[in-house]
Structure formats: C-alpha cells, structure tokens
C-alpha cells in the first residue's frame, strides 16, 4: 500500500488590507490622498508594490473619500475594493474588510495607504516575526527623531508592548516616547476582527482606533509581538504636502544610492531627480539638474545632462550622449548617438552614430495623434531642424540648418535636404555640415 502523505492543517497564505479611505484633510486637496504622487506615482501604487513584493497576492483596499477616483486610477489592479462609507477611524476601516477576507485562520497584513516608503523586505520580516512568535498581533515600530503626530508604543519594565497611545490622547510623559507605531501590523484574522468589535470610540477624535486592539489582545491573554524598523525613513506617514515631498526625496535618494552601487556616477546627487524603477549601466555619468522618470533604460558609459529630461519609454544605448535642455520621450537613441543641445525627441527611433543638431525637434503631434520619426544609422540633422512626423531619414542622410522636413517626405539614404519645406540640394552644392 502506498503511504498516505502526512499533511498538517493547510494555512492560507497571508492576505493584506490597505487602509486608504481617509480624507487627508491636512493635504487641503480635492484629490484622494492616496492618489497624490510620490516620485511620480500615486502613494497607493508604492504600497501595492511593497505588498506584491512580499509575495502577497490577496489584497484588499479600503476606500471611502473620493473612492471613485481611486478605483478608476487603479482599474485593472487585482485588488478587492472595500467601501467604508463613513470614516469612523482605522479600526472601523479594517472591520469593513471582515466579510471579504474569508479564511479566518489567515494572517492579515494591515498597511496604511499613506505610508509609501515601506520596503517589501520589511513587510516580509514582519510576517516572519509574526509567524515565529505565533502572535495574534505583531506591530512594526520605529524610533524616530520627531515622533509628533504618531501613535506612541508603550512598554512595561520587561520591554513588552502594553499599548499604543495616539499623540492627541497622550500625556506629556507619553509624548516623550520616541518609539512610534508605523501603522503596519500582522494579525491573526479571526482574532483581530473579534477584538475590533470590542473597541469604543472613547478618545479625542471619537474614532475607532485600530491600535487599541493591542489592549484587547493583552486583556484576552493573546500574545502581542513587535519588530523595530531600523530605517526610520520607511515608516514616514504622509499627511501634509511637506511630508509628500519628504517622501519623494527619500525614494529618489534610495534609487540614486542603488545606481551608485551599480557603478553609475551622479555628479550632483542632491540636484538630480531619478524615479524608482530605472536601469542604468555602469560608467554612465549623470550631470546635475537631470530628471529621469521611471522605466527609463540607459546603457553603459552614456553621458546625460546637465538639464536633461528623460521621460518614460526612453532608451539610450551604450555610449549615447544627451545634453542641455534635451527632452526625450518614448524614444530610442542608438550607440554613440548624440543629442547635446535644446531638443525634443518624441516617439523617435534613432540609430547608431547619429548626430542630432542643436535645436532639432521631432514634431510628433498633429493635434490629434502622435506619430513616429525614424532616423537611421549615421544620419545627422542641422541646427534647428524640424522633423514633422511621420517621417524617416535614411542611413547617412543629412538636413541643413533650419530645415523643416514635412510629413511623409522621407529623406533617402545619403541625401542632404535643406529649406522650408526641405528639398534635396543639387549634388554640386552639397556641403559637409558639421556639428559639435
Ligand atoms: C495612524 C495610527 C498611528 C500611527 C500612524 C502611522 C491610528 C488611530 N493611528 O495615525 O498610531 O502612528 O497611523 O502613520 O490608527 N483611514 C481609513 N478610514 C478611516 C480613517 C483612516 O481608511 O476611517 C486610513 C487613512 O486613509 C490612512 C490610514 O488609515 O491611510 C491611517 O489614517 P490616518 O488618519 O492618517 O492616521 P494617523 O493619524 O496618521
Ligand atoms: Ca497618516
């Protein structure tokens, strides 16, 4: 007889609930708070990244204020949307998710939609602590230099967490505590939903405070664990415009530091804006006041800036150079190609060894639609050239200064065109235009 495999009780993988229904009053905005962008993407997108990065696929998002806007922005995301019609506090918000979570044995990670700097590794570490402590609740805490506004974590003489007290409700002595509640927790699902039903909104804000479940757990003899985050930037909650820009600065610094580790030089890192999620190969030098948006790919030994703007869809091949006041969008610049001064390159596919003369513009938009420009290997454009797309310049083709190459009038390989509208020059008058 074949042996029956011994299987323990199957524990469902963790699910996540992101609390994102709040009004964000202090942002003074008509927009939902979680839609405000940090380093070019909505706060909620960063939180979702952390959750997915930690391997959690069952994600619930509690929405309320401007929930239509939020759902629309994130349509196509696999999250389950939970409505909290009336905002009665974080405890009330989590309770709204109870009917949707299902498996009562589950571990629930609960996150705030307004804390976009959390790393996936930290969420994973919290889940690990929660499992190994077999706790009903595990809270991520952090010692921060300025704890004002956050809930404070109170501990007994033995160092065990006894409660979390909100800033507004804290005594002077409690406010002196610098260990704060990050707003990220792991719970045993059934235990937390049961504890939430015992909360009372007896506090300064008359709200159901989620952190109050700590006291309920301890009163019921259920174990409460904690993990201290070592990097205080990870727990920043965004409640104001200032905190929004602080959060962007943190993410930009992280991305630049990561790229420096990989061999990229930033001449002035404090004056360079790089969104998370770019790829840059070693020995590329990024000069000051450059903006690099997410998804941009830059090869090795490229030279970028000063004052370049590389938008999504940009790809620079090895040894390419992009300089002062050059904006590139959804375009590829081939090996050893250069666009050094005052250009817009949009929806363009540019080959190798191309010289884009100062002030060259790809006129990609006809008022209704965007059109592509193709510039083949070894071609060059004279200063102030306008290429009205869709248009193509063949291998080694050239334009004279101020040429306007009109739509569909492709420049054949090796031919020089000039004028407005640009036309081939008679072979005798062709000159070798040189840009540097
Ligand atoms: C909360 C914690 C605090 C912690 C801090 C970390 C409570 C009571 N306090 O404070 O201990 O230090 O986060 O950043 O939980 N939300 C809802 N529905 C509501 C109310 C809030 O979905 O009815 C959402 C908000 O959209 C936000 C999150 O919950 O994303 C936190 O709410 P917020 O009002 O910002 O709480 P804090 O005062 O920052
Ligand atoms: Ca907050």
């Amino acid at each position: 007889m074949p042996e029956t495999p011994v299987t323990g009780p199957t524990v469902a993988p963790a699910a996540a609930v992101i609390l994102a229904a709040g009004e964000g009053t202090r942002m003074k905005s008509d927009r939902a708070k979680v839609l405000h962008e940090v380093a070019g993407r909505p706060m909620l997108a960063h939180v979702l990244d952390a959750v997915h990065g930690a391997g959690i696929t069952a994600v619930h998002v509690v929405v309320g204020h401007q929930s239509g806007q939020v759902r629309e922005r994130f349509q196509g995301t696999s999250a389950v949307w939970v409505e909290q019609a009336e905002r009665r506090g974080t405890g009330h918000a989590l309770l709204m998710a109870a009917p949707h979570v299902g498996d009562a044995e589950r571990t629930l990670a609960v996150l705030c939609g307004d804390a976009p700097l959390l790393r996936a590794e930290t969420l994973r570490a919290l889940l690990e602590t929660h499992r190994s402590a077999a706790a009903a609740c595990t809270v991520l805490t952090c010692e921060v230099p300025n704890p004002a506004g956050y809930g404070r974590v109170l501990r007994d003489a033995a160092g065990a967490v006894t409660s979390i007290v909100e800033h507004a409700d804290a005594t002077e002595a409690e406010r002196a505590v610098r260990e704060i509640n990050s707003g990220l927790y792991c719970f045993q699902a059934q235990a937390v939903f049961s504890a939430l039903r015992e909360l009372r909104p007896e506090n300064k804000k008359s709200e159901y405070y989620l952190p109050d479940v700590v006291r309920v757990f301890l009163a019921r003899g259920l174990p409460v664990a904690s993990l201290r985050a070592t990097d205080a930037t990870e727990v920043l909650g965004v409640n104001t415009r200032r905190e929004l820009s602080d959060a962007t600065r943190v993410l930009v610094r992280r991305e630049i530091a990561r790229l420096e580790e990989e061999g990229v030089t930033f001449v002035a890192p404090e004056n360079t804006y790089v969104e998370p999620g770019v790829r840059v190969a070693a020995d590329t030098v990024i000069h000051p006041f450059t903006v690099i948006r997410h998804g941009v790919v830059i090869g090795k030994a490229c030279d970028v800036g000063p004052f370049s703007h590389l938008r999504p869809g940009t790809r620079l091949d090895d040894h390419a150079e992009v300089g002062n006041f050059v904006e590139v969008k959804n375009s590829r610049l081939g090996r050893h190609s250069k666009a050094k001064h005052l250009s817009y390159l949009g929806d363009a596919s540019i080959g190798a060894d191309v010289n884009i003369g100062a002030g060259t513009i790809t006129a990609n938009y006809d008022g209704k639609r965007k059109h592509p420009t193709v510039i083949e290997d070894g071609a060059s454009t004279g200063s102030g050239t306008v290429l009205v797309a869709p248009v193509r310049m063949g291998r080694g083709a050239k334009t004279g200064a101020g040429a306007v190459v009109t739509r569909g009038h492709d420049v054949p390989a090796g031919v020089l065109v000039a004028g407005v509208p640009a036309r081939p020059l008679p072979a005798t008058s062709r000159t070798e235009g040189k840009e540097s």
Side-chain angles (χ1 to χ4, degrees), residues 36-75:
H36 283 270
E37 293 190 350
V38 169
R41 291 169 70 227
M43 271 189 245
L44 181 57
H46 294 286
V47 180
L48 285 166
D49 279 356
V51 167
H52 294 142
I56 300 177
T57 50
V59 185
H60 304 76
V61 186
V62 182
V63 286
H65 179 69
Q66 307 276 31
S67 67
Q69 282 182 1
V70 182
R71 284 169 181 240
E72 193 184 311
R73 176 64 182 73
F74 284 90
Q75 55 178 305

Side-chain angles (χ1 to χ4, degrees), residues 252 282 311 389:
V252 169
R311 292 170 52 198

Side-chain angles (χ1 to χ4, degrees), residues 383-400:
S383 296
T385 292
V386 178
L387 300 166
V388 183
V391 76
R392 168 185 291 264
M393 287 179 67
R395 274 176 167 265
K398 288 185 165 61
T399 62

Side-chain angles (χ1 to χ4, degrees), residues 10 37 142 176 184 238 243 255 274 278 307 326 340-341 357 394 402 435:
T10 48
E37 293 190 350
C142 191
L184 168 62
V238 175
E243 287 164 343
E255 187 70 356
V274 185
V278 307
F307 299 101
V326 174
K340 298 290 281 185
H341 330 271
E435 290 282 340

Side-chain angles (χ1 to χ4, degrees), residues 279-346:
R279 277 160 49 202
V280 186
D283 285 330
T284 282
V285 178
I286 313 286
H287 296 275
F289 305 106
T290 291
V291 171
I292 304 178
R293 306 286 315 274
H294 64 89
V296 166
V297 177
I298 302 176
K300 64 176 187 215
C302 290
D303 205 68
V304 179
F307 299 101
S308 300
H309 185 189
L310 305 184
R311 292 170 52 198
T314 295
R315 185 188 172 109
L316 307 184
D317 289 344
D318 298 348
H319 304 281
E321 296 182 25
V322 173
N324 309 262
F325 306 104
V326 174
E327 175 183 353
V328 187
K329 184 218 76 172
N330 191 33
S331 294
R332 178 170 189 163
L333 194 60
R335 279 173 70 89
H336 291 285
S337 288
K338 297 176 186 178
K340 298 290 281 185
H341 330 271
L342 305 162
S343 278
Y344 171 65
L345 303 173

Side-chain angles (χ1 to χ4, degrees), residues 173-186:
E174 288 164 344
R175 285 184 184 182
V177 172
R178 294 199 303 125
E179 188 185 7
I180 59 123
N181 166 26
S182 70
L184 168 62
Y185 325 79
C186 290

Side-chain angles (χ1 to χ4, degrees), residues 19-23 26 33-34 62 84 86-93 111-115 149-152 164-166 180-183 185 205 207-211 235-239:
L19 308 180
E23 266 154 64
R26 284 176 284 164
K33 179 160 82 170
V34 292
V62 182
Q84 183 193 22
E86 237 186 307
R87 262 72 66 199
R88 296 164 72 186
T90 47
H92 178 256
L111 303 94
C112 290
D114 66 350
Y150 290 95
R152 306 299 204 283
I164 294 170
V165 54
E166 290 307 301
I180 59 123
N181 166 26
S182 70
Y185 325 79
K205 291 190 180 163
E207 286 185 355
Y208 294 87
Y209 287 165
L210 173 56
V235 302
L236 178 75
V238 175
N239 303 295

